Amino acid sequence: MIKKKILQCLVVLFTLLSCSEDKSGTAAVNDFIPAETTYMFQIPEFASSLQKIDSLAFLQDNNFFIAANHKQQLEYLSKYIKNKTVLISLTHRAENSFDYTVISEASAVNIETDTVANRSVETFKYEDFSIKKYSLQEVEFYTLKKDGIFLASNSRNQLETIVKERNDKAVKPFSKEYTATDASKPSLFINYRKLDTLLNTSFPGNNLPLEKLAGGSLMDVDISGQKILFNGIATWHEDEQVLLKAFHNVAPVQNELASITPADASGFYSFTFNDFETLHQNLTTGRDAVNLPENHFLHYTREAGMIFTSNGRTLVLTATDPVLAKEANIFPKEIVKVHRNVEISRFTDDPGLKTFLHPLIPGITETFFVHLDNFILISEEVTFLENLISNYLNGTTLAEQEHYKDAMENLAGASSLLLVANSENFKQRLSKLASGNVDEVSNKLDLSSYPLLALQFVQERNFAHIHGIFNTTQSNKRNGTGQIAAIQIKNSIATTPALLKNHNNNETEVAFQDDENNLHLFSSGGNQLWKKELDARINSPIYQVDLYKNGNLQLAFSTPFALHVLDRNGNNVKPFPLKFRDEVTQPLSIFDYDNNRTYRFVITQGRDVLMYDSRGRLVKGFDFKRTGTQIVQAPKHIRIRRKDYIVVPESSGKLHILSRQGTSRVGVSEKFSFSDNEWFLHENNFVSVDENAQLIRITEAAKVSREAIPNPIYPAFAATNKVRVIQSENTLRINGREVILDFGLYNRPQVFEVGNENFVGITDTQAQKVYILNEEAELLPGFPVYGTSAIDIRQARNGERVLAVKGEDN
């Protein structure tokens, strides 16, 4: 970017342009472009272009690019510039230092400078031209008029060199590109011979294939809206060795790397080819022959590229035929790990990719690899591969983000070379371009309105089309998903993870038990807080209670012969655990009738219901007699308006609907064929689904009604007072709205009330996918995600929703 002092020079330069006599010119503005130009701007219709630039949110949010006082002076200047093209050339001299040259037709400027105060003018005469030096306070610059062309620069030597270069026969920069420019549009010219790493510093990792990419390029810049669009060409001389010539006679195909790139990655680049043999021949032209084995898996690929994440980089290949590519992978290897049922292997011999793909792929140690659908992932670290696998299976990839989809609509469907960056994630890289003071720019740089930058090259015979976008479309992060932690333990996980609240900081934590009966508590960041050995398997949900009514929360659960209550550090809360001689045959239930933390701990033993208070004592006044047959579900508390009911089903088909005291409150004489489906409150009725696939409703007045269920094959049922969910095979019905899922093996649907919203969760344990839908039966964005068990959901302190699910066995 132009540094502040350079901008000041520019402003002062234009304000001092005089209306002195101008002879008819015999030259064009492009005749005076400095040979060493790094990049150059063409600005048509200066006044209107300035207004467009000034309205751009990017410059309004990042005013250090053009300071406010500079913009005011430029606006003043624009009143006196005629509608002629202005070129601004920047020549790189030293680190973060550029010499600028302004080139325009002398007739374009008509400004009286007599009123400018504190100025001095010094003239340096040469054989056939003269240079004037202007000084104004701390700013100095030089001007020159030659053959009807006006030039100005911060360097006297620069102007001298330009005049001498004009007589040389050497090829001028942008001579080919300038002829293709549209004078009505702002344009950017890049001289790759002098600035072959300009874009490289914009991307993370500094390992992009941009060195000697082309000779030069011209891009028209469209800033008519808030999006910034680039369209143009890249060119080179016939005898010039540039990277894009590797795609000669190689047709591009559709880029797919975004489908494996994590949504939070810094960026990626991808190059494609319809014929790897031709690409390989082009890459080896001019260097020692590198023979590619006939059975190498590269023969079965159509795309290659590099993904950059916060942790590192991963080489990715897209296979034309995943099966043949896998069979052709004849290099010695060993399986080192299985992550989410995907094998991660290690090469024990070098597959030579950095040789065969040089210079499109930078040096990388080809250590670990994965075959994942039609992708081959290769990296130096196992953790990099695990990250890509997790995001791919969760569906949290860049290809699923709205800002990426929108950006791709402005590009061609296939690219020889495609570069994509998540702007905020390589902010530090951009700041190095913007200014030498990285910290200052990093603090001020606001890319929140421009989340994605994409640049595309599509090669033709002797040039390449360029398309690019600085995109403003925002993804709704609250409606997306992102993995915040992956917890791995030594043993297999035995219970559904439970999300809990840390009462000290309101953060979310997760608890689960392993197959050696150890209870674990982890933070949401994946850090273990404690592990406690228990004598048996937990057979109930893990509840949180506030026994002392002081805001401090405890964990409560049952095992087959005990009732446990632990404090947040995993210590027993006296007098717990309560131990029993007879087995606890149903999960622990906890009732809080009036939501005042006066808890009732309900234990079921065969035909008996035992109720304990917060001190571990049997509750007096609960006089329910034992049932005639085995109790088949844990007693459940249901509140309808101001009345409390306790529902207890027994194997004989009798349903008890009791009062707080254990007496019959709703006398139901009819017997039922109970299924595994629990009884729920729905629309102020007691509702369940029986073994005959009938939906049963019971009113407070003991009126029973039945409704046949469509597709009555092992229906699973769950409900809240407002939401009713029935699942049978791959059909899911939410409040009567039908959703057809993929065929699979599904666990029971779950309904969660989170904040003011209801969500339905169901897991396909065969395909290892977790689906979350709203009460309108709409799948939430970002789902399904990877998972193999029932789930838990709760609202975190920041308002976001956190989901926990089991992945692999451990």
Side-chain angles (χ1 to χ4, degrees), residues 712-783:
I713 302 175
Y714 304 112
F717 178 70
T720 65
N721 201 25
K722 295 181 179 180
V723 177
R724 188 184 76 182
V725 182
I726 301 174
Q727 175 260 329
S728 180
E729 293 187 313
N730 67 320
T731 301
L732 186 68
R733 290 180 176 84
I734 303 174
N735 287 346
R737 296 181 176 91
E738 186 176 281
V739 178
I740 303 301
L741 304 170
D742 294 335
F743 282 102
L745 296 176
Y746 291 92
N747 67 353
R748 290 186 165 279
Q750 301 169 267
V751 184
F752 298 89
E753 295 183 82
V754 185
N756 297 320
E757 298 182 79
N758 290 279
F759 299 100
V760 176
I762 190 167
T763 301
D764 182 348
T765 58
Q766 184 178 42
Q768 303 173 337
K769 293 181 178 180
V770 177
Y771 297 82
I772 303 293
L773 303 96
N774 61 24
E775 58 187 273
E776 302 298 323
E778 299 166 333
L779 185 69
L780 297 191
F783 287 91

Side-chain angles (χ1 to χ4, degrees), residues 146-169:
K146 182 72 174 174
D147 297 336
I149 303 299
F150 177 86
L151 298 95
S153 177
N154 61 308
S155 167
R156 173 183 169 186
N157 182 64
Q158 175 84 319
L159 297 181
E160 293 174 354
T161 302
I162 291 173
V163 175
K164 294 176 182 178
E165 288 174 346
R166 190 185 174 208
N167 299 321
D168 292 342
K169 295 183 180 181

Side-chain angles (χ1 to χ4, degrees), residues 484-489 493 495-502 505-514 518-532 538 542-544 555 568 789-794 802-807:
I484 58 176
I487 297 166
Q488 183 174 354
I489 62 172
I493 296 170
T495 63
T496 299
L499 289 171
L500 308 172
K501 176 184 176 181
N502 181 330
N505 55 20
N506 290 327
E507 293 293 340
T508 300
E509 298 171 345
V510 60
F512 56 88
Q513 190 180 30
D514 65 30
N518 296 304
L519 178 61
H520 301 260
L521 184 69
F522 280 80
S523 71
S524 60
N527 299 316
Q528 186 162 38
L529 303 176
W530 50 258
K531 180 176 73 172
K532 182 180 180 66
I538 296 173
I542 298 176
Y543 299 95
Q544 280 192 291
L555 281 62
R568 70 153 287 95
S789 71
I791 64 174
D792 195 13
I793 301 176
R794 66 167 286 127
V802 180
L803 179 151
V805 64
K806 178 182 172 182

Side-chain angles (χ1 to χ4, degrees), residues 375-446:
F375 296 107
I376 305 171
L377 315 178
I378 302 167
S379 191
E380 299 166 332
E381 298 288 342
V382 169
T383 54
F384 300 166
L385 298 178
E386 291 176 336
N387 180 39
L388 265 64
I389 293 169
S390 297
N391 281 277
Y392 179 73
L393 295 178
N394 286 341
T396 52
T397 61
L398 190 59
E400 298 300 319
Q401 307 306 306
E402 288 303 318
H403 62 288
Y404 180 82
K405 293 178 182 179
D406 182 71
M408 293 303 104
E409 291 182 359
N410 294 274
L411 305 183
S415 312
S416 301
L417 177 63
L418 174 67
L419 304 104
V420 176
N422 271 329
S423 301
E424 280 295 320
N425 294 348
F426 67 92
K427 183 174 169 179
Q428 293 297 323
R429 304 287 181 182
L430 289 179
S431 67
K432 291 180 181 179
L433 281 182
S435 171
N437 189 337
V438 177
D439 293 334
E440 179 184 355
V441 174
S442 178
N443 292 333
K444 293 181 178 179
L445 188 60
D446 181 6

Side-chain angles (χ1 to χ4, degrees), residues 503 521 530 553-555 565-573:
H503 59 251
L521 184 69
W530 50 258
L553 301 178
Q554 298 83 36
L555 281 62
V565 179
L566 308 179
D567 66 19
R568 70 153 287 95
N569 296 315
N571 301 314
N572 290 324
V573 176

